[in-house]
PDB file of all heavy atoms in Angstrom:
ATOM      1  N   LYS A 350     -27.615  34.131 -39.069  1.00  0.00           N
ATOM      2  CA  LYS A 350     -28.258  33.297 -40.101  1.00  0.00           C
ATOM      3  C   LYS A 350     -29.720  33.702 -40.270  1.00  0.00           C
ATOM      4  O   LYS A 350     -30.217  33.819 -41.388  1.00  0.00           O
ATOM      5  CB  LYS A 350     -28.167  31.821 -39.733  1.00  0.00           C
ATOM      6  CG  LYS A 350     -26.829  31.206 -39.968  1.00  0.00           C
ATOM      7  CD  LYS A 350     -26.843  29.722 -39.607  1.00  0.00           C
ATOM      8  CE  LYS A 350     -25.491  29.078 -39.751  1.00  0.00           C
ATOM      9  NZ  LYS A 350     -25.519  27.660 -39.353  1.00  0.00           N
ATOM     10  N   PHE A 351     -30.421  33.906 -39.148  1.00  0.00           N
ATOM     11  CA  PHE A 351     -31.809  34.329 -39.198  1.00  0.00           C
ATOM     12  C   PHE A 351     -31.926  35.708 -39.848  1.00  0.00           C
ATOM     13  O   PHE A 351     -32.809  35.936 -40.675  1.00  0.00           O
ATOM     14  CB  PHE A 351     -32.411  34.374 -37.790  1.00  0.00           C
ATOM     15  CG  PHE A 351     -33.743  35.052 -37.727  1.00  0.00           C
ATOM     16  CD1 PHE A 351     -34.867  34.414 -38.192  1.00  0.00           C
ATOM     17  CD2 PHE A 351     -33.857  36.338 -37.228  1.00  0.00           C
ATOM     18  CE1 PHE A 351     -36.109  35.033 -38.160  1.00  0.00           C
ATOM     19  CE2 PHE A 351     -35.090  36.971 -37.188  1.00  0.00           C
ATOM     20  CZ  PHE A 351     -36.209  36.313 -37.655  1.00  0.00           C
ATOM     21  N   LEU A 352     -31.037  36.622 -39.480  1.00  0.00           N
ATOM     22  CA  LEU A 352     -31.058  37.966 -40.035  1.00  0.00           C
ATOM     23  C   LEU A 352     -30.850  37.940 -41.541  1.00  0.00           C
ATOM     24  O   LEU A 352     -31.546  38.631 -42.297  1.00  0.00           O
ATOM     25  CB  LEU A 352     -29.984  38.811 -39.344  1.00  0.00           C
ATOM     26  CG  LEU A 352     -30.047  40.314 -39.523  1.00  0.00           C
ATOM     27  CD1 LEU A 352     -31.353  40.860 -38.964  1.00  0.00           C
ATOM     28  CD2 LEU A 352     -28.871  40.955 -38.833  1.00  0.00           C
ATOM     29  N   LEU A 353     -29.901  37.128 -41.995  1.00  0.00           N
ATOM     30  CA  LEU A 353     -29.640  37.012 -43.430  1.00  0.00           C
ATOM     31  C   LEU A 353     -30.858  36.442 -44.157  1.00  0.00           C
ATOM     32  O   LEU A 353     -31.229  36.923 -45.239  1.00  0.00           O
ATOM     33  CB  LEU A 353     -28.420  36.130 -43.664  1.00  0.00           C
ATOM     34  CG  LEU A 353     -27.959  35.981 -45.103  1.00  0.00           C
ATOM     35  CD1 LEU A 353     -27.549  37.320 -45.684  1.00  0.00           C
ATOM     36  CD2 LEU A 353     -26.815  34.998 -45.194  1.00  0.00           C
ATOM     37  N   LEU A 354     -31.493  35.443 -43.571  1.00  0.00           N
ATOM     38  CA  LEU A 354     -32.691  34.869 -44.183  1.00  0.00           C
ATOM     39  C   LEU A 354     -33.815  35.893 -44.274  1.00  0.00           C
ATOM     40  O   LEU A 354     -34.484  36.011 -45.298  1.00  0.00           O
ATOM     41  CB  LEU A 354     -33.145  33.651 -43.379  1.00  0.00           C
ATOM     42  CG  LEU A 354     -34.395  32.937 -43.882  1.00  0.00           C
ATOM     43  CD1 LEU A 354     -34.128  32.289 -45.234  1.00  0.00           C
ATOM     44  CD2 LEU A 354     -34.864  31.913 -42.877  1.00  0.00           C
ATOM     45  N   ALA A 355     -33.997  36.672 -43.202  1.00  0.00           N
ATOM     46  CA  ALA A 355     -35.046  37.694 -43.203  1.00  0.00           C
ATOM     47  C   ALA A 355     -34.770  38.759 -44.257  1.00  0.00           C
ATOM     48  O   ALA A 355     -35.688  39.195 -44.961  1.00  0.00           O
ATOM     49  CB  ALA A 355     -35.151  38.324 -41.813  1.00  0.00           C
ATOM     50  N   ILE A 356     -33.518  39.166 -44.392  1.00  0.00           N
ATOM     51  CA  ILE A 356     -33.173  40.185 -45.404  1.00  0.00           C
ATOM     52  C   ILE A 356     -33.423  39.640 -46.807  1.00  0.00           C
ATOM     53  O   ILE A 356     -33.929  40.361 -47.669  1.00  0.00           O
ATOM     54  CB  ILE A 356     -31.714  40.628 -45.220  1.00  0.00           C
ATOM     55  CG1 ILE A 356     -31.592  41.464 -43.948  1.00  0.00           C
ATOM     56  CG2 ILE A 356     -31.209  41.415 -46.409  1.00  0.00           C
ATOM     57  CD1 ILE A 356     -30.176  41.798 -43.550  1.00  0.00           C
ATOM     58  N   LYS A 357     -33.097  38.372 -47.027  1.00  0.00           N
ATOM     59  CA  LYS A 357     -33.359  37.772 -48.342  1.00  0.00           C
ATOM     60  C   LYS A 357     -34.848  37.755 -48.646  1.00  0.00           C
ATOM     61  O   LYS A 357     -35.273  38.084 -49.758  1.00  0.00           O
ATOM     62  CB  LYS A 357     -32.801  36.358 -48.392  1.00  0.00           C
ATOM     63  CG  LYS A 357     -31.305  36.286 -48.553  1.00  0.00           C
ATOM     64  CD  LYS A 357     -30.855  34.833 -48.635  1.00  0.00           C
ATOM     65  CE  LYS A 357     -29.359  34.720 -48.753  1.00  0.00           C
ATOM     66  NZ  LYS A 357     -28.918  33.321 -48.797  1.00  0.00           N
ATOM     67  N   LYS A 358     -35.660  37.379 -47.647  1.00  0.00           N
ATOM     68  CA  LYS A 358     -37.106  37.310 -47.860  1.00  0.00           C
ATOM     69  C   LYS A 358     -37.686  38.700 -48.132  1.00  0.00           C
ATOM     70  O   LYS A 358     -38.545  38.860 -49.006  1.00  0.00           O
ATOM     71  CB  LYS A 358     -37.811  36.685 -46.647  1.00  0.00           C
ATOM     72  CG  LYS A 358     -37.439  35.263 -46.376  1.00  0.00           C
ATOM     73  CD  LYS A 358     -37.973  34.339 -47.430  1.00  0.00           C
ATOM     74  CE  LYS A 358     -37.639  32.900 -47.073  1.00  0.00           C
ATOM     75  NZ  LYS A 358     -38.147  31.961 -48.040  1.00  0.00           N
ATOM     76  N   ILE A 359     -37.210  39.702 -47.407  1.00  0.00           N
ATOM     77  CA  ILE A 359     -37.692  41.072 -47.628  1.00  0.00           C
ATOM     78  C   ILE A 359     -37.278  41.560 -49.008  1.00  0.00           C
ATOM     79  O   ILE A 359     -38.043  42.226 -49.703  1.00  0.00           O
ATOM     80  CB  ILE A 359     -37.187  42.004 -46.517  1.00  0.00           C
ATOM     81  CG1 ILE A 359     -37.878  41.666 -45.204  1.00  0.00           C
ATOM     82  CG2 ILE A 359     -37.415  43.469 -46.870  1.00  0.00           C
ATOM     83  CD1 ILE A 359     -37.315  42.371 -43.989  1.00  0.00           C
ATOM     84  N   GLY A 360     -36.059  41.210 -49.425  1.00  0.00           N
ATOM     85  CA  GLY A 360     -35.581  41.607 -50.758  1.00  0.00           C
ATOM     86  C   GLY A 360     -36.432  40.987 -51.856  1.00  0.00           C
ATOM     87  O   GLY A 360     -36.769  41.652 -52.831  1.00  0.00           O
ATOM     88  N   ILE A 361     -36.766  39.722 -51.701  1.00  0.00           N
ATOM     89  CA  ILE A 361     -37.616  39.055 -52.696  1.00  0.00           C
ATOM     90  C   ILE A 361     -38.989  39.703 -52.747  1.00  0.00           C
ATOM     91  O   ILE A 361     -39.546  39.936 -53.818  1.00  0.00           O
ATOM     92  CB  ILE A 361     -37.713  37.545 -52.387  1.00  0.00           C
ATOM     93  CG1 ILE A 361     -36.363  36.877 -52.642  1.00  0.00           C
ATOM     94  CG2 ILE A 361     -38.804  36.882 -53.208  1.00  0.00           C
ATOM     95  CD1 ILE A 361     -36.285  35.440 -52.184  1.00  0.00           C
ATOM     96  N   LEU A 362     -39.533  40.033 -51.570  1.00  0.00           N
ATOM     97  CA  LEU A 362     -40.828  40.694 -51.516  1.00  0.00           C
ATOM     98  C   LEU A 362     -40.796  42.041 -52.231  1.00  0.00           C
ATOM     99  O   LEU A 362     -41.695  42.378 -53.013  1.00  0.00           O
ATOM    100  CB  LEU A 362     -41.268  40.872 -50.060  1.00  0.00           C
ATOM    101  CG  LEU A 362     -42.608  41.585 -49.854  1.00  0.00           C
ATOM    102  CD1 LEU A 362     -43.743  40.734 -50.404  1.00  0.00           C
ATOM    103  CD2 LEU A 362     -42.817  41.889 -48.399  1.00  0.00           C
ATOM    104  N   LEU A 363     -39.729  42.813 -51.985  1.00  0.00           N
ATOM    105  CA  LEU A 363     -39.598  44.112 -52.658  1.00  0.00           C
ATOM    106  C   LEU A 363     -39.484  43.949 -54.170  1.00  0.00           C
ATOM    107  O   LEU A 363     -40.058  44.752 -54.928  1.00  0.00           O
ATOM    108  CB  LEU A 363     -38.405  44.875 -52.114  1.00  0.00           C
ATOM    109  CG  LEU A 363     -38.550  45.431 -50.705  1.00  0.00           C
ATOM    110  CD1 LEU A 363     -37.253  46.053 -50.242  1.00  0.00           C
ATOM    111  CD2 LEU A 363     -39.673  46.430 -50.635  1.00  0.00           C
ATOM    112  N   LEU A 364     -38.761  42.923 -54.622  1.00  0.00           N
ATOM    113  CA  LEU A 364     -38.659  42.690 -56.060  1.00  0.00           C
ATOM    114  C   LEU A 364     -40.020  42.347 -56.668  1.00  0.00           C
ATOM    115  O   LEU A 364     -40.341  42.789 -57.779  1.00  0.00           O
ATOM    116  CB  LEU A 364     -37.651  41.587 -56.339  1.00  0.00           C
ATOM    117  CG  LEU A 364     -36.176  41.969 -56.131  1.00  0.00           C
ATOM    118  CD1 LEU A 364     -35.281  40.753 -56.337  1.00  0.00           C
ATOM    119  CD2 LEU A 364     -35.776  43.081 -57.074  1.00  0.00           C
TER     120      LEU A 364
END
Side-chain angles (χ1 to χ4, degrees):
K350 283 182 183 178
F351 169 75
L352 194 61
L353 184 62
L354 180 66
I356 289 172
K357 284 182 182 179
K358 296 291 183 179
I359 291 171
I361 291 172
L362 179 66
L363 288 175
L364 287 176

